[in-house]
């Protein structure tokens, strides 16, 4: 897949561009989201200390385990 850095959209036919605007807006929105290194390290520390997922075992827990048992519940309480 070739990276186009914004030029692909401009090269699309006008009728294709109009149907893709929503998709590109969502991609931009998602690309602009982020978190700080400090918040990532804080989360990892809390994870290792069993504060957010008491069953966490670094060698055994999967990404799915962490998402479902730590990140999703934390997201619910943060909202």
């Amino acid at each position: 897949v070739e990276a186009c850095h914004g030029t692909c959209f401009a090269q699309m036919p006008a009728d294709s561009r109009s149907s893709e605007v929503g998709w590109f807006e969502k991609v931009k929105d998602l690309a602009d989201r982020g978190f700080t290194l400090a918040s990532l390290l804080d989360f990892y520390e809390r994870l290792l200390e069993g504060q957010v997922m008491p069953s966490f075992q670094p060698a055994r827990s999967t990404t799915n385990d962490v998402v479902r048992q730590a990140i999703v519940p934390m997201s619910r309480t943060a909202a």
Side-chain angles (χ1 to χ4, degrees), residues 6-67:
T7 59
C8 296
F9 186 74
Q11 295 170 357
M12 297 173 90
D15 58 334
S16 295
R17 278 185 268 163
S18 63
S19 66
E20 298 293 324
V21 169
W23 185 84
F24 279 103
E25 288 174 356
K26 180 50 86 175
V27 169
K28 173 107 173 72
D29 177 51
L30 293 172
D32 289 339
R33 294 182 187 183
F35 50 87
T36 64
L37 177 59
S39 65
L40 176 62
L41 294 174
D42 179 59
F43 170 74
Y44 191 61
E45 179 179 37
R46 293 176 65 201
L47 188 62
L48 290 174
E49 291 175 352
Q51 295 176 14
V52 294
M53 183 179 159
S55 63
F56 179 73
Q57 296 176 17
R60 302 193 79 194
S61 297
T62 65
T63 300
N64 187 54
D65 295 335
V66 174
V67 168

